[in-house]
Amino acid sequence: MNLCNDSVKKAIIVFVSCVVAAQSFAVPTPRHGVLPTRCGMVSRQGSSRRSSSSLQVQVLNPVTGRNIKQTDEKNKHTRWYDIMHVSGGWIAHQSALVPIDLDSLNAWEASDISESNNGLTMLSNGRSEAFLVDKISSADFESDYEPDCNWLVVSPEIEMKEESPLSPDESHEFTSFVDQLLFVHKPSDLLTLPGIGEAKKVCLCSQVNEWLSTDDGKRILEEVKESIKLNLYKSSPKKRKKNKSFVPRACHRLDLDTSGVMVIALTPDAMRVTSAMFEERKIRKTYVALVAGHLHDDHGFVEFPIGKVYNTINEFNEFRCHIPQPTQGISAANVSTSNAVDFVENSLRHAKTEWKICKRFTITASDGKEAKYTRIELKPHTGRGHQLRLHMAALGHPILGDDLHSPSMI
């Protein structure tokens, strides 16, 4: 039994990333203050409206049959805050509130995962061929791809930090090009870049470029031209000529089933500067997820190395944590292996994730028993494949709805 129905299962995995809702897009610069961005919030259909840093999206409440506004967590006197941050038991997916299957969550917590449980058997020798958990592969994960094209253009606040890893020149370079960036909210079930095959050509980048041909998009591109004129000294004439046909694209990626704010470069210079900042980890990314159970501490770090292990059954490499001496009840076959030689050569690398508790939920399920889950903030200090999924699963608190590394019942 799954935590929720298959159509919404992937949406729970990481429903906020790179700061969405009330948080700021944290760009470290040597001055203190807030740098406003030029664009208001615009729907993909092109109907613009004024907006603060929050999304203000209408979400259907199936209990009342009426829409409610999605507000930020600073506004504690709204129905949205009460449902998502106080009462709990719901997620927002495709413009509607969807209930979490508390009975399945309660059954997971009651089970003894240190023994065989729906295939969650600990590998005593860590051998990669003994993958006992019946999970879908990354290839199958997108086989029934039905893109959710309800993306939004948002206008976040860019927070100026006094402490900065950037030099004054680097800081000035970024702020010079901020008007050549487009901030958008990507929903889950939408690829960042096109996948393999005709069916997967629809992605966030293709949708954004289509929207840029509308009146609202053309208005933004006209403002970008003005910004380019003010920053011509940044590019040589030869370089500008070479990049004349630049196609706007994402400066970073989010997984198919991850929603959150993304940065789209509208010019080659903006792409160069911002991509370098992401690559050098000078832009901090914050994710919010729902995980099974209650973590004991309020804050902590996970530092299990992550690498690739060859799956002889499905015949492709899969990401795994390396836990030399796994604690019984914490690790599972599809999460970790204890034998370092099982990893693909040179694939095993240091990985570090910081986590912080936002809210612990305890809700009575239909069987009268208490189901527990936690809203948690995650900050990756490294950028390894499946890092957040693996690290939380390795702690014994898998992310709800994760089809790759969580027990099948959640």
Side-chain angles (χ1 to χ4, degrees):
M1 183 163 56
N2 294 328
L3 183 67
C4 56
N5 64 63
D6 292 336
S7 65
V8 301
K9 195 175 180 189
K10 292 181 286 187
I12 302 183
I13 294 181
V14 181
F15 57 87
V16 182
S17 71
C18 292
V19 297
V20 71
Q23 302 184 49
S24 300
F25 187 74
V27 178
T29 62
R31 353 188 234 115
H32 182 70
V34 173
L35 178 68
T37 55
R38 54 164 158 65
C39 52
M41 187 177 74
V42 184
S43 72
R44 67 186 180 91
Q45 291 82 6
S47 57
S48 60
R49 54 193 183 274
R50 297 181 64 85
S51 171
S52 63
S53 60
S54 60
L55 290 182
Q56 297 290 326
V57 174
Q58 294 282 341
V59 178
L60 176 66
N61 184 345
V63 177
T64 63
R66 301 174 63 182
N67 289 331
I68 59 175
K69 284 186 177 181
Q70 183 176 351
T71 57
D72 60 52
E73 59 188 36
K74 293 180 181 179
N75 192 345
K76 298 183 179 181
H77 303 288
T78 64
R79 180 58 178 154
W80 176 262
Y81 183 88
D82 180 64
I83 292 174
M84 303 303 291
H85 299 273
V86 180
S87 303
W90 299 84
I91 65 164
H93 180 60
Q94 294 187 352
S95 303
L97 291 176
V98 179
I100 295 174
D101 188 335
L102 299 176
D103 291 329
S104 292
L105 185 60
N106 185 53
W108 167 83
E109 188 161 12
S111 66
D112 182 5
I113 63 173
S114 65
E115 298 177 359
S116 178
N117 173 24
N118 278 356
L120 276 179
T121 302
M122 183 77 65
L123 294 186
S124 59
N125 60 359
R127 295 300 300 174
S128 59
E129 58 263 31
F131 285 67
L132 303 179
V133 181
D134 183 19
K135 291 293 180 180
I136 62 174
S137 69
S138 57
D140 295 332
F141 201 52
E142 301 171 6
S143 61
D144 55 348
Y145 179 50
E146 296 181 2
D148 178 2
C149 296
N150 292 306
W151 61 277
L152 295 170
V153 177
V154 296
S155 180
E157 294 177 343
I158 297 182
E159 185 179 355
M160 307 304 228
K161 295 293 187 180
E162 293 180 346
E163 303 83 15
S164 171
L166 300 181
S167 67
D169 287 342
E170 288 176 318
S171 175
H172 175 72
E173 187 173 36
F174 176 79
T175 55
S176 297
F177 293 125
V178 72
D179 278 345
Q180 299 173 26
L181 298 173
L182 190 68
F183 297 86
V184 303
H185 177 256
K186 185 189 88 68
S188 60
D189 301 330
L190 181 62
L191 292 167
T192 299
L193 299 173
I196 300 174
E198 188 69 25
K200 297 176 185 175
K201 285 186 177 181
V202 177
C203 63
L204 179 67
C205 289
S206 69
Q207 291 286 294
V208 168
N209 278 285
E210 182 179 328
W211 175 80
L212 286 171
S213 65
T214 66
D215 290 341
D216 283 306
K218 289 176 180 178
R219 174 181 57 81
I220 287 180
L221 291 178
E222 286 299 318
E223 294 177 5
V224 168
K225 290 180 181 179
E226 294 300 316
S227 177
I228 292 174
K229 292 178 182 178
L230 297 175
N231 295 280
L232 287 179
Y233 66 92
K234 293 296 181 181
S235 300
S236 66
K238 182 182 293 185
K239 189 172 184 179
R240 291 200 304 275
K241 184 176 180 181
K242 180 180 179 181
N243 292 303
K244 187 176 181 180
S245 60
F246 177 80
V247 177
R249 67 197 68 168
C251 300
H252 59 114
R253 298 188 184 189
L254 286 179
D255 288 347
L256 167 66
D257 53 351
T258 303
S259 64
V261 172
M262 296 202 66
V263 187
I264 306 292
L266 302 178
T267 68
D269 285 322
M271 183 71 183
R272 170 180 56 81
V273 173
T274 310
S275 295
M277 291 178 66
F278 273 105
E279 185 176 351
E280 296 166 8
R281 310 198 69 76
K282 292 178 179 178
I283 294 178
R284 293 187 297 275
K285 294 187 287 185
T286 299
Y287 297 76
V288 176
L290 303 181
V291 300
H294 287 173
L295 284 82
H296 182 267
D297 297 321
D298 292 336
H299 176 260
F301 294 86
V302 190
E303 296 192 62
F304 295 128
I306 293 175
K308 294 179 179 179
V309 174
Y310 185 70
N311 184 328
T312 57
I313 297 176
N314 294 322
E315 298 184 341
F316 55 74
N317 292 328
E318 296 183 321
F319 288 106
R320 296 287 180 267
C321 286
H322 178 220
I323 307 179
Q325 296 179 330
T327 301
Q328 197 172 34
I330 286 183
S331 182
N334 66 324
V335 174
S336 73
T337 180
S338 60
N339 196 340
V341 300
D342 285 338
F343 286 91
V344 175
E345 187 176 2
N346 298 323
S347 71
L348 193 60
R349 302 174 68 185
H350 170 68
K352 182 177 180 180
T353 299
E354 180 179 2
W355 57 267
K356 179 182 178 182
I357 299 298
C358 297
K359 170 79 173 181
R360 295 180 177 91
F361 291 91
T362 301
I363 305 175
T364 303
S366 62
D367 60 3
K369 297 180 181 179
E370 293 183 337
K372 299 177 182 179
Y373 71 92
T374 304
R375 186 174 188 266
I376 191 170
E377 186 177 281
L378 300 168
K379 294 183 178 181
H381 290 242
T382 54
R384 311 298 175 231
H386 297 189
Q387 179 174 319
L388 303 184
R389 306 169 188 249
L390 284 169
H391 275 174
M392 296 316 299
L395 286 183
H397 297 279
I399 294 175
L400 305 189
D402 179 7
D403 279 313
L404 298 178
H405 303 290
S406 295
S408 58
M409 65 172 59
I410 65 169

PDB file of all heavy atoms in Angstrom, residues 59-68 79 83 90 97:
ATOM      1  N   VAL A  59      -5.277  27.072  -4.481  1.00  0.00           N
ATOM      2  CA  VAL A  59      -5.256  25.617  -4.359  1.00  0.00           C
ATOM      3  C   VAL A  59      -6.633  25.138  -3.910  1.00  0.00           C
ATOM      4  O   VAL A  59      -7.220  25.696  -2.978  1.00  0.00           O
ATOM      5  CB  VAL A  59      -4.179  25.168  -3.346  1.00  0.00           C
ATOM      6  CG1 VAL A  59      -4.188  23.654  -3.181  1.00  0.00           C
ATOM      7  CG2 VAL A  59      -2.804  25.639  -3.779  1.00  0.00           C
ATOM      8  N   LEU A  60      -7.127  24.099  -4.585  1.00  0.00           N
ATOM      9  CA  LEU A  60      -8.452  23.575  -4.254  1.00  0.00           C
ATOM     10  C   LEU A  60      -8.428  22.786  -2.952  1.00  0.00           C
ATOM     11  O   LEU A  60      -7.611  21.890  -2.771  1.00  0.00           O
ATOM     12  CB  LEU A  60      -8.957  22.671  -5.388  1.00  0.00           C
ATOM     13  CG  LEU A  60     -10.304  21.976  -5.137  1.00  0.00           C
ATOM     14  CD1 LEU A  60     -11.432  22.999  -5.061  1.00  0.00           C
ATOM     15  CD2 LEU A  60     -10.578  20.940  -6.233  1.00  0.00           C
ATOM     16  N   ASN A  61      -9.334  23.127  -2.046  1.00  0.00           N
ATOM     17  CA  ASN A  61      -9.524  22.368  -0.814  1.00  0.00           C
ATOM     18  C   ASN A  61     -10.669  21.394  -1.045  1.00  0.00           C
ATOM     19  O   ASN A  61     -11.832  21.793  -1.143  1.00  0.00           O
ATOM     20  CB  ASN A  61      -9.862  23.317   0.334  1.00  0.00           C
ATOM     21  CG  ASN A  61      -9.985  22.585   1.671  1.00  0.00           C
ATOM     22  OD1 ASN A  61     -10.098  21.363   1.709  1.00  0.00           O
ATOM     23  ND2 ASN A  61      -9.960  23.329   2.757  1.00  0.00           N
ATOM     24  N   PRO A  62     -10.381  20.084  -1.167  1.00  0.00           N
ATOM     25  CA  PRO A  62     -11.441  19.110  -1.491  1.00  0.00           C
ATOM     26  C   PRO A  62     -12.484  18.965  -0.390  1.00  0.00           C
ATOM     27  O   PRO A  62     -13.582  18.482  -0.648  1.00  0.00           O
ATOM     28  CB  PRO A  62     -10.657  17.808  -1.706  1.00  0.00           C
ATOM     29  CG  PRO A  62      -9.415  17.978  -0.902  1.00  0.00           C
ATOM     30  CD  PRO A  62      -9.073  19.428  -0.978  1.00  0.00           C
ATOM     31  N   VAL A  63     -12.157  19.365   0.823  1.00  0.00           N
ATOM     32  CA  VAL A  63     -13.105  19.254   1.934  1.00  0.00           C
ATOM     33  C   VAL A  63     -14.240  20.261   1.770  1.00  0.00           C
ATOM     34  O   VAL A  63     -15.418  19.939   1.951  1.00  0.00           O
ATOM     35  CB  VAL A  63     -12.386  19.470   3.282  1.00  0.00           C
ATOM     36  CG1 VAL A  63     -13.393  19.429   4.434  1.00  0.00           C
ATOM     37  CG2 VAL A  63     -11.317  18.403   3.488  1.00  0.00           C
ATOM     38  N   THR A  64     -13.876  21.490   1.404  1.00  0.00           N
ATOM     39  CA  THR A  64     -14.877  22.551   1.254  1.00  0.00           C
ATOM     40  C   THR A  64     -15.303  22.758  -0.196  1.00  0.00           C
ATOM     41  O   THR A  64     -16.334  23.376  -0.458  1.00  0.00           O
ATOM     42  CB  THR A  64     -14.323  23.879   1.795  1.00  0.00           C
ATOM     43  OG1 THR A  64     -13.183  24.271   1.008  1.00  0.00           O
ATOM     44  CG2 THR A  64     -13.895  23.726   3.243  1.00  0.00           C
ATOM     45  N   GLY A  65     -14.488  22.251  -1.143  1.00  0.00           N
ATOM     46  CA  GLY A  65     -14.781  22.476  -2.550  1.00  0.00           C
ATOM     47  C   GLY A  65     -14.458  23.879  -3.006  1.00  0.00           C
ATOM     48  O   GLY A  65     -14.851  24.296  -4.103  1.00  0.00           O
ATOM     49  N   ARG A  66     -13.722  24.626  -2.185  1.00  0.00           N
ATOM     50  CA  ARG A  66     -13.371  26.008  -2.507  1.00  0.00           C
ATOM     51  C   ARG A  66     -11.856  26.150  -2.596  1.00  0.00           C
ATOM     52  O   ARG A  66     -11.098  25.359  -2.010  1.00  0.00           O
ATOM     53  CB  ARG A  66     -13.926  26.962  -1.446  1.00  0.00           C
ATOM     54  CG  ARG A  66     -15.433  26.890  -1.290  1.00  0.00           C
ATOM     55  CD  ARG A  66     -15.919  27.747  -0.142  1.00  0.00           C
ATOM     56  NE  ARG A  66     -15.629  29.167  -0.363  1.00  0.00           N
ATOM     57  CZ  ARG A  66     -15.918  30.130   0.514  1.00  0.00           C
ATOM     58  NH1 ARG A  66     -16.512  29.809   1.659  1.00  0.00           N
ATOM     59  NH2 ARG A  66     -15.637  31.381   0.236  1.00  0.00           N
ATOM     60  N   ASN A  67     -11.419  27.165  -3.314  1.00  0.00           N
ATOM     61  CA  ASN A  67      -9.989  27.445  -3.436  1.00  0.00           C
ATOM     62  C   ASN A  67      -9.503  28.273  -2.254  1.00  0.00           C
ATOM     63  O   ASN A  67     -10.235  29.133  -1.742  1.00  0.00           O
ATOM     64  CB  ASN A  67      -9.688  28.199  -4.738  1.00  0.00           C
ATOM     65  CG  ASN A  67      -9.838  27.323  -5.963  1.00  0.00           C
ATOM     66  OD1 ASN A  67      -9.632  26.115  -5.893  1.00  0.00           O
ATOM     67  ND2 ASN A  67     -10.205  27.920  -7.083  1.00  0.00           N
ATOM     68  N   ILE A  68      -8.285  27.995  -1.830  1.00  0.00           N
ATOM     69  CA  ILE A  68      -7.653  28.812  -0.803  1.00  0.00           C
ATOM     70  C   ILE A  68      -6.303  29.285  -1.326  1.00  0.00           C
ATOM     71  O   ILE A  68      -5.710  28.662  -2.207  1.00  0.00           O
ATOM     72  CB  ILE A  68      -7.453  28.031   0.520  1.00  0.00           C
ATOM     73  CG1 ILE A  68      -6.589  26.781   0.285  1.00  0.00           C
ATOM     74  CG2 ILE A  68      -8.781  27.655   1.126  1.00  0.00           C
ATOM     75  CD1 ILE A  68      -6.264  26.044   1.569  1.00  0.00           C
ATOM     76  N   ARG A  79      -5.777  30.201   6.518  1.00  0.00           N
ATOM     77  CA  ARG A  79      -6.231  28.821   6.467  1.00  0.00           C
ATOM     78  C   ARG A  79      -5.138  27.914   5.921  1.00  0.00           C
ATOM     79  O   ARG A  79      -4.974  26.774   6.370  1.00  0.00           O
ATOM     80  CB  ARG A  79      -7.488  28.734   5.581  1.00  0.00           C
ATOM     81  CG  ARG A  79      -8.086  27.334   5.444  1.00  0.00           C
ATOM     82  CD  ARG A  79      -8.455  26.739   6.781  1.00  0.00           C
ATOM     83  NE  ARG A  79      -9.069  25.426   6.654  1.00  0.00           N
ATOM     84  CZ  ARG A  79      -9.030  24.498   7.598  1.00  0.00           C
ATOM     85  NH1 ARG A  79      -8.398  24.736   8.757  1.00  0.00           N
ATOM     86  NH2 ARG A  79      -9.618  23.332   7.417  1.00  0.00           N
ATOM     87  N   ILE A  83      -3.570  24.515   7.737  1.00  0.00           N
ATOM     88  CA  ILE A  83      -3.614  23.180   7.134  1.00  0.00           C
ATOM     89  C   ILE A  83      -2.218  22.590   6.978  1.00  0.00           C
ATOM     90  O   ILE A  83      -1.974  21.434   7.328  1.00  0.00           O
ATOM     91  CB  ILE A  83      -4.317  23.232   5.756  1.00  0.00           C
ATOM     92  CG1 ILE A  83      -5.795  23.549   5.932  1.00  0.00           C
ATOM     93  CG2 ILE A  83      -4.139  21.909   5.006  1.00  0.00           C
ATOM     94  CD1 ILE A  83      -6.530  23.757   4.624  1.00  0.00           C
ATOM     95  N   TRP A  90      -1.779  16.832   4.760  1.00  0.00           N
ATOM     96  CA  TRP A  90      -2.053  17.141   3.370  1.00  0.00           C
ATOM     97  C   TRP A  90      -0.779  17.564   2.661  1.00  0.00           C
ATOM     98  O   TRP A  90       0.174  18.039   3.279  1.00  0.00           O
ATOM     99  CB  TRP A  90      -3.065  18.289   3.263  1.00  0.00           C
ATOM    100  CG  TRP A  90      -4.387  18.028   3.869  1.00  0.00           C
ATOM    101  CD1 TRP A  90      -4.739  18.176   5.189  1.00  0.00           C
ATOM    102  CD2 TRP A  90      -5.557  17.550   3.207  1.00  0.00           C
ATOM    103  NE1 TRP A  90      -6.039  17.824   5.392  1.00  0.00           N
ATOM    104  CE2 TRP A  90      -6.577  17.444   4.180  1.00  0.00           C
ATOM    105  CE3 TRP A  90      -5.845  17.207   1.885  1.00  0.00           C
ATOM    106  CZ2 TRP A  90      -7.860  17.004   3.877  1.00  0.00           C
ATOM    107  CZ3 TRP A  90      -7.131  16.789   1.583  1.00  0.00           C
ATOM    108  CH2 TRP A  90      -8.122  16.687   2.557  1.00  0.00           C
ATOM    109  N   LEU A  97      -5.254  20.187  -2.813  1.00  0.00           N
ATOM    110  CA  LEU A  97      -4.773  19.521  -1.616  1.00  0.00           C
ATOM    111  C   LEU A  97      -5.056  18.020  -1.740  1.00  0.00           C
ATOM    112  O   LEU A  97      -6.145  17.624  -2.154  1.00  0.00           O
ATOM    113  CB  LEU A  97      -5.471  20.069  -0.372  1.00  0.00           C
ATOM    114  CG  LEU A  97      -5.128  21.496   0.039  1.00  0.00           C
ATOM    115  CD1 LEU A  97      -5.977  21.913   1.245  1.00  0.00           C
ATOM    116  CD2 LEU A  97      -3.640  21.613   0.381  1.00  0.00           C
TER     117      LEU A  97
END
